[in-house]
Structure formats: C-alpha cells, structure tokens
Amino acid sequence: MTEEKMFFEEKVFSREDYEFIFEADKELIEEILKNKKSGKILDLGCGEAGISLLLAKKGFEVTCIDISKTAINNIKKEAKKRGVKINALVEDLEKFEIEEDYDIIIGTGIFHFLLEENSLKLIDNVKKHTKEHGLNVFEVFLQGDPSQEEDSEGYYFKPNELKDLYYNWDILDYEEYEDYNEEEEQTNKIAYLIAKK
Ligand SMILES: C[S@@+](CC[C@H](N)C(=O)[O-])C[C@H]1O[C@@H](n2cnc3c(N)ncnc32)[C@H](O)[C@@H]1O
C-alpha cells in the first residue's frame, strides 16, 4: 500500500481553509452523455465528486468512493443540498472488491496513489464488473509526470499501456497529452481513455 494515499485527506481536504468546489470536467461529462443516458455508475477515488454529483442530477444511479472521510462527508452534504441521491462511501481502493456490475466506471487521477499490482488488479476487476456495452473512463498520469519522484510508490503508466489493457474493447477515445496546471505551475503528462465493452 502506498504512503501517498492519505495525502488528500491529511493535506488538502481537511485543511480548515479548504473550500470544496465540486467542479466537474464538462468535456468528460459530454463524452459520457454522448454514449449513455442512464444507468449505474461507480466513481473510484471521486475526490470532490464533481462528475458524480452532476451525473446523479441527470438521473444516473451513482456510487462514489474515496479514502477521504472529509470528502465523503462533504459530498453527502452537497448531494442533500442539491436534492440528489448518491451513494458515497469511504473505501480504500487498494483493498476494494467491486461486487456489483455497472454501466459506467470512472477513475480520474487515482492510479498514482496505488501500487502497480493494485492498480492493475483494480483495472482487471473494473473490466469484469462493467456490463456489456458499458463504459470505462480513465485519466491517468504517465511516466515522467512531474509529480513522480524517485521514491514515489504510486503507479505511472507507460505510453499506450492503458490503451493496450483494453485491446479487446472498443476504444472510443484515447489520448496522451500535456496539460499545464496553473496552481502547481507544472505540466502534467496525462493519458485519457474512454472504452466500451
Ligand atoms: C487527484 S484526486 C482525484 C479526484 C477526482 N477523481 C478528480 O478527478 O477530481 C485523488 C483522489 O483519490 C483519493 N485516493 C487516493 N488513494 C486512495 C485509495 N487508496 N482509495 C480510495 N481513494 C483514494 C484521494 O483521497 C483523492 O480524493
């Protein structure tokens, strides 16, 4: 298990001055809605759950999980405020077993918090628990990302590795790109995948 996994709980979300903004990636939501209009969603390592809250508002049946109790408590409060139903759970993805099948499984910005073997096991588990014609949506950091340090334990993907794991699915979109993060003043190396079973 990685040392880094409590980073958001201990250093970000639980800070007294931290404001939850529940921001959602609009392009990602559009991509999802182009392909699915309803169904069951699992959002892994949801953070502030911007995507989950918005899709729950659109009528999807959403379960979102994160290791941060602070995040999950805030998501529950925000869901109540917005009048949406969402199943928000505190779970550790390095031990989490998916038990039900989902139409859409999302994981953005999480694998660099999980060990390689746990990351690959999780993807395997996610693929098994995606319904026929269901979607997987992932955004991962690539090797050489500036957040990767010599002693980083979390997993950074090799070029094309994520896409190759989906060799037997329909790849709707796969992109590798660099994205400048103003807050961190660094350029992240990202791979984005949306694949259909
Ligand atoms: C960079 S944030 C990404 C949040 C969200 N998916 C997004 O794209 O905005 C990473 C999230 O993963 C969560 N996390 C890290 N390790 C985890 C683990 N082992 N199990 C569950 N959640 C974890 C953190 O608490 C944090 O909320």
Side-chain angles (χ1 to χ4, degrees):
M1 269 170 250
T2 67
E3 290 279 311
E4 294 101 339
K5 67 181 173 192
M6 295 308 286
F7 174 81
F8 271 85
E9 170 64 12
E10 290 170 357
K11 302 268 176 2
V12 185
F13 297 148
S14 57
R15 264 191 355 233
E16 264 187 29
D17 62 344
Y18 189 76
E19 259 185 66
F20 274 74
I21 47 168
F22 309 104
E23 202 174 36
D25 180 334
K26 302 260 167 5
E27 278 175 40
L28 205 140
I29 303 254
E30 265 174 38
E31 272 304 304
I32 292 174
L33 291 175
K34 245 199 260 169
N35 290 284
K36 289 252 174 248
K37 300 280 182 272
S38 62
K40 275 172 69 171
I41 296 183
L42 178 63
D43 185 359
L44 302 165
C46 58
E48 294 171 55
I51 299 173
S52 278
L53 284 160
L54 227 145
L55 291 172
K57 184 89 187 162
K58 295 207 176 282
F60 286 87
E61 193 187 321
V62 182
T63 296
C64 61
I65 70 170
D66 202 282
I67 202 164
S68 163
K69 283 191 186 126
T70 314
I72 294 298
N73 286 339
N74 276 292
I75 291 162
K76 285 182 178 163
K77 277 190 221 150
E78 184 68 14
K80 206 166 171 189
K81 211 164 96 187
R82 295 187 191 186
V84 298
K85 229 177 96 188
I86 196 163
N87 185 24
L89 307 170
V90 177
E91 293 279 0
D92 182 351
L93 287 174
E94 295 207 272
K95 303 183 209 146
F96 184 63
E97 294 288 340
I98 304 172
E99 281 170 359
E100 294 174 42
D101 291 350
Y102 293 87
D103 297 281
I104 305 172
I105 303 186
I106 303 167
T108 57
I110 52 162
F111 291 103
H112 58 293
F113 293 104
L114 314 181
L115 292 179
E116 174 175 0
E117 61 174 292
N118 292 334
S119 294
L120 298 176
K121 209 172 106 192
L122 182 62
I123 291 189
D124 205 38
N125 205 2
V126 161
K127 287 177 75 181
K128 278 191 195 121
H129 285 281
T130 304
K131 292 184 190 174
E132 246 356 88
H133 309 297
L135 300 179
N136 282 183
V137 183
F138 287 122
E139 242 170 37
V140 305
F141 279 166
L142 294 169
Q143 287 182 355
D145 183 86
S147 68
Q148 186 177 25
E149 290 170 10
E150 229 164 76
D151 57 351
S152 293
E153 295 179 296
Y155 196 52
Y156 289 78
F157 285 71
K158 298 175 205 73
N160 287 321
E161 184 182 357
L162 180 62
K163 185 173 79 174
D164 291 346
L165 289 171
Y166 281 82
Y167 69 96
N168 51 353
W169 287 36
D170 191 5
I171 311 271
L172 302 182
D173 195 8
Y174 178 79
E175 283 165 40
E176 291 181 359
Y177 61 95
E178 299 201 336
D179 187 38
Y180 183 68
N181 180 327
E182 275 177 31
E183 217 175 293
E184 307 274 347
E185 295 183 348
Q186 63 184 25
T187 301
N188 291 114
K189 296 178 73 162
I190 296 173
Y192 160 76
L193 168 96
I194 176 160
K196 188 172 183 179
K197 192 167 179 177

